[in-house]
Amino acid sequence: MRILVMNPNTTASMTASIRATATAVASPDTEIIATEPLWGPESIEGHFEGYLSAAAVLDRLTTLDFPFDALVMAGFGEPGREGAQELLDVPVLDITESAAQMAMMLGHSYGVVTTLDRAVPQIRDRLLTAGLLQRCAGVRGTGLGVLELEETATSAAAGAGDRTPFEVIVETAREVVRDGAEVICLGCGGMAGLQERVSAELGVPVVDGVAAAVKFAEAVAGLGLATSAVRSFAAPRPKRIGSWPLSTHLSLSAASSPRNAEFSSQTSGI
C-alpha cells in the first residue's frame, strides 16, 4: 500500500518531520510518500493563507504522475479536503477529523492544542462542520507560530530562563485538561511526533493527527473503500479552467514583485 501525505505549506523541513511520523506508525508493507505544494505560503496562519494553500495542494495533486492508494492531508483545520475528495478516486483523510475521531474512541471528551489563537475559530468551525464539536472540551492556542514548532527539538530554543516551545505546548495542554478534556489532540502538522512526550507529561492519551490519519487510511484503503462519488463529492464537471494547473504556467524566477508572496519549488519524498 502506498499513502501520500501532503504537507499543505512549502516548508520542506516540516514535510520531512511529517514524513518521519507517518513512517514510524505505518505498517511494514505501507510505503509513505510525503510532499508539499510547488508554490504557496511557507506556513498557514489564517484564512487567506489557508485558501491559497488549498489551491496549491489541489494544483499539486493534479500534476502528480505516480499512483497512490490513499491521501492524508496534514493541515489541521485547513480547507481543501473536499476538493481533493472530488478530484481523487482514493480515500482522502485529513488530520483534523482523524485526530478527533480517534480521540473520541479513547475518552468522553477531547481538547485541541494548536498554534496561534487566531487558528482557534478556524479549527472549531472545521470540527463543527464535521459534526465533532459537541464532545470537544476546548481548543486553545499556544501563541506559537507554525515555524516556531521547528524549535521543539532543542531544549534551549526559547533562550535562557524562557519556556521552550515544547513546554508551552505542555502547559497549554494542561489547561485544556483542566477544562475537562480527557484526551488531547495536537492541532498542527508541525507538532507531529510530540504525542508520546506530551502524554508522558500529562498522564492522558495524546493523539497526533498525522499518525491517526495514516492508520485510518490504511484501514479504509485496506477494506477497499473510497469516497462516495454519487452526490457531494462527485467528480468535477468538465469545463475550462484558465491557466490550470497553475504550476505549469508559473515561472518561479519571475515571481519577484515585492507585492507577491515568495514561492518555493522544493519538494520532498519524490
Side-chain angles (χ1 to χ4, degrees), residues 17 21 144 148-154 165-167 169-170 186 188-201 206-208:
S17 175
T21 295
L144 297 170
E148 290 181 80
L149 297 174
E150 300 269 280
E151 300 174 355
T152 54
T154 305
F166 176 74
E167 290 170 339
I169 291 170
V170 169
L186 299 179
C188 178
M191 296 180 183
L194 297 180
Q195 62 272 22
E196 292 183 3
R197 292 172 61 193
V198 177
S199 182
E201 293 284 341
V206 175
V207 178
D208 170 71

Side-chain angles (χ1 to χ4, degrees), residues 2 4-12 15 19 33-41 51-68 71-73 80 83-84 87-88 243-250 252 264-270:
R2 175 183 280 181
L4 174 65
V5 181
M6 180 67 71
N7 172 15
N9 67 47
T10 58
T11 299
T15 302
R19 185 200 307 113
I33 297 179
T35 190
E36 65 273 340
L38 299 179
W39 55 272
Y51 284 107
L52 279 179
S53 167
V57 166
L58 294 175
D59 178 274
R60 184 78 171 109
L61 292 173
T62 301
T63 56
L64 292 176
D65 60 357
F66 56 86
F68 49 92
L71 169 67
V72 168
M73 299 182 72
L87 187 65
L88 303 176
S243 299
W244 184 262
L246 182 59
S247 59
T248 63
H249 297 268
L250 275 177
L252 299 182
S264 168
S265 60
Q266 295 189 3
T267 59
S268 302
I270 293 184

Side-chain angles (χ1 to χ4, degrees), residues 87-171:
L87 187 65
L88 303 176
D89 58 4
V90 299
V92 177
L93 296 96
D94 80 326
I95 65 174
T96 314
E97 294 186 24
S98 295
Q101 292 280 11
M102 185 166 287
M104 291 192 300
M105 299 176 188
L106 303 174
H108 180 269
S109 59
Y110 70 94
V112 178
V113 175
T114 188
T115 53
L116 301 178
D117 181 67
R118 64 179 296 170
V120 171
Q122 196 168 345
I123 291 173
R124 289 182 59 86
D125 285 350
R126 188 74 193 180
L127 294 171
L128 177 63
T129 301
L132 301 170
L133 188 60
Q134 185 174 358
R135 287 172 61 183
C136 180
V139 181
R140 282 182 178 258
T142 58
L144 297 170
V146 172
L147 298 181
E148 290 181 80
L149 297 174
E150 300 269 280
E151 300 174 355
T152 54
T154 305
S155 60
D162 294 331
R163 296 179 301 168
T164 67
F166 176 74
E167 290 170 339
V168 173
I169 291 170
V170 169
E171 290 179 20

